[in-house]
Amino acid sequence: MSTATGIGSLPGTWDHDYAEAVRLVLDELGDLPHVPELPGRGVTAALTGRGLAVVDGLAADLQPAGWRLTDTSGVDHRRARSLLAQDLDTLEELADGATGALKTQVAGPWTLAATVEKPRGDKVLSDHGARRELAQGLAEGVGAHLADLRRRVRGVDRWIVQVDEPALAAVAHAQVPTASGFGRHRRVDPPELSAHLEWVVAAITDAGGEAWVHSCAPQTPWALVAGTGVAGLSADLDVLGPADLDTFAEALEAGRTAALGVVPSTDPATEPSDAPITERVQRWLDMLGLDPEVVAEHLVVTPTCGLAGASPAWARRAVRLSATVARNL
């Protein structure tokens, strides 16, 4: 049977919204709930801040230009770590007795390299040694993060760590702007792109988890991602090109997970029903020559991207709609 899950983010601007977000995913995504993220609470709860809260051995602080690596952690970095621990306390309380699978998310090495600055300015992406150190710190930290989650929610026996890489396409195609804004950082060669992802994937696997990579950006190098040993690929179906579709089909045939973003992640002008979305996925499987009964257990239905930009009402509806489509399949 197909399952449904969320990408990670949900709307909410207050700490008390977090408990409601946890209840939503536990109630509506019972087969594959996820650790909610509420980036609307500010930079310490957003993708990069939360990623730096997981990284081990590196300090950071928030500067006017954004997050920057520093010798000692600044107040905002400490807040990011404190907020993550506070959120996990809430999860631990509300998920008591949960069994089966649970997914968490973390910013990937290339997204962090493209959004975090070196101590003296400009992106970590601009320095080979710095981006290597950041990726290795993330690999170390994600293993400890998964161990913490295992301790908190003991009934879960399948842990999935979704590595979020929205900037991977920009890194691969030399589209990340320099500090001046007038130039672009040079592209990173595929072997290095792959190696940094492999470190993080291996750390997740070694910690007993299952690594997925997610991006809802076009031109993400999915064939490269698939070669890093990931157990799952997650993308907005609308942005996948013909070669990408083949990569996702090959993943399904090999028994890996393909998470397809097919439910709108922002409030649509006209609310869709489950029937046409279900039919779209069935047509996609038919086009690729995949037997729905054979691949169903490896197929996951999701919104097209995170739901942070949706209204609370649509976020709830999108979560429920994803679950309904999965049941239909």
Side-chain angles (χ1 to χ4, degrees), residues 80-195:
R81 286 177 167 166
S82 176
L83 183 60
L84 175 59
Q86 176 184 312
D87 287 350
L88 296 186
D89 287 343
T90 302
L91 176 74
E92 181 178 0
E93 177 185 352
L94 296 177
D96 183 37
T99 59
L102 185 62
K103 179 172 74 71
T104 188
Q105 304 80 221
V106 65
W110 292 112
T111 292
L112 288 178
T115 55
V116 177
E117 290 192 341
K118 299 178 297 180
R120 298 191 179 185
D122 213 347
K123 301 295 187 216
V124 168
L125 183 62
S126 67
D127 184 283
H128 181 275
R131 61 201 192 209
R132 180 186 182 91
E133 185 178 15
L134 182 57
Q136 291 176 337
L138 175 62
E140 289 289 331
V142 78
H145 178 57
L146 185 51
D148 183 32
L149 281 165
R150 283 184 176 279
R151 178 184 61 80
R152 291 173 177 273
V153 193
R154 296 184 181 275
V156 170
D157 58 11
R158 181 191 175 199
W159 283 97
I160 297 161
V161 181
Q162 175 184 298
V163 181
D164 286 324
E165 281 288 18
L168 177 59
V171 171
H173 299 289
Q175 295 172 350
V176 178
T178 57
S180 69
F182 295 110
R184 295 290 184 270
H185 289 285
R186 287 189 292 182
R187 67 187 292 272
V188 177
D189 291 334
E192 187 181 353
L193 286 175
S194 180

